[in-house]
């Protein structure tokens, strides 16, 4: 007979493993240090999640859930125009505390391009999550918004974020974002 499940253990393990991945990334991720983060064993990780692949999927889903919740909170304030929305999102997402998430996001984004089989949806969720959030926010600020506008905003913000992460040129990327946001006024 198997051991009865401990209520909350899986959630605590997932939270600690998620924090570990945010701090260290996915490159060369192994179960031993991942298990050490929540103070468990590799055997228990596999017991709780079934496989390393399922654990990684759960971690990525948890990261998306956390960031979506934080973004929704940041967007709760009614913004009067698409330009203000773009500026508000940029201020939120380009903040220093988002850097671990962004580094991991781009790491997984590139990995999904080269290894789509490693992700349940081929990595498409990383695009559709942003589309869903931005579409809802744009509907609230811009009558008659078009999906192409939302796609353009997401692509521009992602490009500027990648540029910023690689060059650390905050002034140039902030100026470029401001120029882009002003085009929506």
């Amino acid at each position: 007979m198997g051991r009865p499940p401990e209520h909350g253990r899986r959630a605590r393990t997932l939270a600690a493993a998620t924090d570990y991945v945010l701090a260290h990334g996915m490159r060369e991720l192994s179960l031993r240090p991942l298990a050490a983060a929540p103070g468990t064993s590799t055997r228990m990780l596999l017991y709780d999640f079934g496989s390393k692949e399922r654990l990684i999927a759960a971690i990525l889903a948890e990261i998306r859930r956390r960031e979506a919740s934080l973004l929704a909170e940041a967007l709760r304030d009614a913004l009067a125009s698409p330009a203000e929305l773009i500026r508000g999102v940029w201020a939120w997402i380009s903040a220093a505390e988002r850097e671990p998430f962004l580094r991991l996001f781009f790491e997984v984004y590139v990995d999904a391009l080269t290894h789509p089989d490693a992700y349940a949806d081929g990595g498409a969720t990383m695009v559709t999550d942003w589309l869903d959030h931005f579409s809802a926010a744009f509907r609230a600020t811009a009558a008659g918004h078009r999906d192409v506008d939302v796609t353009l905003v997401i692509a521009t913000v992602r490009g500027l974020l990648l540029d910023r992460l690689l060059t650390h040129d905050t002034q140039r990327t902030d100026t470029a974002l401001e120029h882009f946001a002003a085009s929506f006024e």
Side-chain angles (χ1 to χ4, degrees), residues 126-145:
M126 291 184 300
V127 173
T128 57
D129 282 353
W130 287 49
L131 282 172
D132 294 344
H133 291 294
F134 278 88
S135 289
F138 254 69
R139 272 193 297 280
T141 61
H145 93 281

Side-chain angles (χ1 to χ4, degrees), residues 100-151:
F101 164 74
L102 292 172
R103 288 189 178 285
L104 182 63
F105 173 82
F106 285 115
E107 180 184 348
V108 172
Y109 200 82
V110 169
D111 190 57
L113 287 171
T114 56
H115 304 101
D117 317 358
Y119 302 90
D121 59 357
T125 305
M126 291 184 300
V127 173
T128 57
D129 282 353
W130 287 49
L131 282 172
D132 294 344
H133 291 294
F134 278 88
S135 289
F138 254 69
R139 272 193 297 280
T141 61
H145 93 281
R146 300 168 306 173
D147 286 342
V148 70
D149 293 332
V150 175
T151 299

Side-chain angles (χ1 to χ4, degrees), residues 3-16:
R3 178 179 167 177
E6 286 181 40
H7 298 292
R9 183 191 67 228
R10 186 178 191 274
R12 286 188 307 274
T13 299
L14 179 59

Side-chain angles (χ1 to χ4, degrees), residues 5-19 38 44-45 48-49 55 58-59 62 65-66:
E6 286 181 40
H7 298 292
R9 183 191 67 228
R10 186 178 191 274
R12 286 188 307 274
T13 299
L14 179 59
T18 300
D19 292 341
M44 289 308 294
L45 277 181
D48 284 339
F49 294 93
L55 171 61
I59 289 168
E62 173 62 11
R65 186 202 62 74
R66 286 181 186 183

Side-chain angles (χ1 to χ4, degrees), residues 6-180:
E6 286 181 40
H7 298 292
R9 183 191 67 228
R10 186 178 191 274
R12 286 188 307 274
T13 299
L14 179 59
T18 300
D19 292 341
Y20 178 87
V21 169
L22 281 168
H24 297 92
M26 298 275 293
R27 196 169 152 252
E28 299 177 19
L29 182 65
S30 94
L31 287 177
R32 193 165 276 127
L34 193 56
T40 190
S41 67
T42 57
R43 184 180 68 74
M44 289 308 294
L45 277 181
L46 295 176
Y47 175 80
D48 284 339
F49 294 93
S51 69
K52 182 179 179 181
E53 292 75 21
R54 287 186 185 159
L55 171 61
I56 290 171
I59 289 168
L60 294 176
E62 173 62 11
I63 291 168
R64 284 194 319 273
R65 186 202 62 74
R66 286 181 186 183
E67 290 301 315
S69 174
L70 291 170
L71 177 59
E73 189 177 309
L75 295 179
R76 264 191 212 128
D77 296 332
L79 299 171
S81 71
E84 289 179 26
L85 173 67
I86 293 165
R87 289 179 186 110
V89 167
W90 179 256
W92 177 81
I93 203 159
S94 66
E97 63 266 19
R98 300 279 170 270
E99 190 170 323
F101 164 74
L102 292 172
R103 288 189 178 285
L104 182 63
F105 173 82
F106 285 115
E107 180 184 348
V108 172
Y109 200 82
V110 169
D111 190 57
L113 287 171
T114 56
H115 304 101
D117 317 358
Y119 302 90
D121 59 357
T125 305
M126 291 184 300
V127 173
T128 57
D129 282 353
W130 287 49
L131 282 172
D132 294 344
H133 291 294
F134 278 88
S135 289
F138 254 69
R139 272 193 297 280
T141 61
H145 93 281
R146 300 168 306 173
D147 286 342
V148 70
D149 293 332
V150 175
T151 299
L152 180 61
V153 169
I154 292 169
T156 301
V157 168
R158 281 188 181 152
L160 288 171
L161 287 169
L162 185 57
D163 183 331
R164 186 182 191 114
L165 284 171
L166 290 172
T167 66
H168 304 285
D169 191 339
T170 58
Q171 183 177 352
R172 185 176 50 80
T173 54
D174 285 347
T175 301
L177 187 279
E178 177 52 39
H179 181 75
F180 177 70

